[in-house]
Amino acid sequence: MKIFKETRKKYLSLIVLFVITANVIQAQEFNLINSESSLTVSGTSSIHDWDISAEKQDGKISFKDVKTCQVEKITINIVAESLKSGKSSMDKNTYKALKTDHNKTISFQLIEVKNIVSKEDGVFLVSTLGDLTISGVKKTITLDFTASIIKSKITLTGERKIKMTDFNISPPKALLGTITTGDDVTIKFSTVFK
């Protein structure tokens, strides 16, 4: 009977330890909040500058230690056809250039964190390396951003210039080629996780 009680005690202790550990691990992972996040692609054309914004994105971020911003994983997926400019003709040209009939998402996946600098309470400058996939073409890029950690809300803000041709995208044209867009675009983001 005594052996049974001791075994039961050890077993219960292990269960309690497992539940506590699982809660700590779970608390280190956060989900992207689409309604609070924004991502805008800006570029130029032979007539005027343009912007197109993502309406649907999801993803996760996880930390080894959230208090010191020890990022472990980041995955972000953007529905390619949720990119909207407010002009249906431009959107159609964008989807054609991105080949969205075969490539439904644009994604970023963290490979490694290169550097973290603490600026003030809960604010960090983070330098990373990750895989950016656009139009089915994956490229490893550097991505620097500011991470703001306030209670259970994580906000990543930053921008990154890329060339469309690096991802085998022909810059869109309109009106029989009389309007052409520049190869360089700037991606600006404010991504919120909770």
Side-chain angles (χ1 to χ4, degrees):
M1 193 67 173
K2 189 178 177 185
I3 293 170
F4 174 74
K5 282 184 178 178
E6 284 178 16
T7 305
R8 188 172 164 221
K9 226 180 212 181
K10 285 180 183 175
Y11 185 67
L12 286 172
S13 296
L14 282 171
I15 289 173
V16 169
L17 183 65
F18 175 76
V19 168
I20 290 168
T21 305
N23 285 339
V24 168
I25 289 167
Q26 192 174 23
Q28 299 285 300
E29 184 174 271
F30 301 83
N31 293 314
L32 189 150
I33 308 301
N34 184 61
S35 60
E36 296 182 36
S37 299
S38 64
L39 183 140
T40 303
V41 181
S42 302
T44 60
S45 77
S46 52
I47 293 182
H48 55 73
D49 293 351
W50 54 268
D51 296 307
I52 193 162
S53 300
E55 293 185 350
K56 291 181 187 173
Q57 52 183 315
D58 64 47
K60 291 182 184 296
I61 188 169
S62 62
F63 297 85
K64 293 172 191 168
D65 183 357
V66 71
K67 287 180 182 175
T68 56
C69 198
Q70 299 296 312
V71 181
E72 191 170 34
K73 290 181 185 174
I74 301 173
T75 55
I76 297 171
N77 298 300
I78 296 148
V79 177
E81 289 192 1
S82 80
L83 291 167
K84 304 289 182 187
S85 66
K87 297 174 183 173
S88 61
S89 59
M90 181 178 170
D91 294 348
K92 283 179 186 173
N93 285 333
T94 300
Y95 305 153
K96 186 178 175 183
L98 292 174
K99 305 174 187 82
T100 58
D101 49 342
H102 299 295
N103 305 293
K104 303 295 183 189
T105 59
I106 295 165
S107 66
F108 176 81
Q109 185 151 9
L110 178 72
I111 295 172
E112 69 173 305
V113 175
K114 304 292 277 181
N115 195 32
I116 301 168
V117 177
S118 178
K119 295 301 286 178
E120 54 191 78
D121 283 350
V123 178
F124 303 86
L125 298 180
V126 184
S127 297
T128 70
L129 201 63
D131 284 334
L132 179 62
T133 304
I134 305 174
S135 191
V137 177
K138 185 196 289 186
K139 294 277 182 186
T140 300
I141 64 162
T142 57
L143 183 66
D144 300 336
F145 54 81
T146 300
S148 171
I149 301 170
I150 301 168
K151 295 182 181 176
S152 61
K153 185 175 181 178
I154 318 293
T155 305
L156 310 183
T157 55
E159 64 178 67
R160 177 65 158 82
K161 290 185 178 180
I162 64 166
K163 288 187 179 294
M164 287 190 260
T165 51
D166 286 348
F167 293 87
N168 294 342
I169 299 167
S170 299
K173 295 178 181 180
L175 296 176
L176 302 174
T178 57
I179 301 172
T180 56
T181 55
D183 191 14
D184 295 321
V185 296
T186 301
I187 301 168
K188 292 182 183 176
F189 58 91
S190 176
T191 311
V192 177
F193 300 87
K194 284 183 184 174

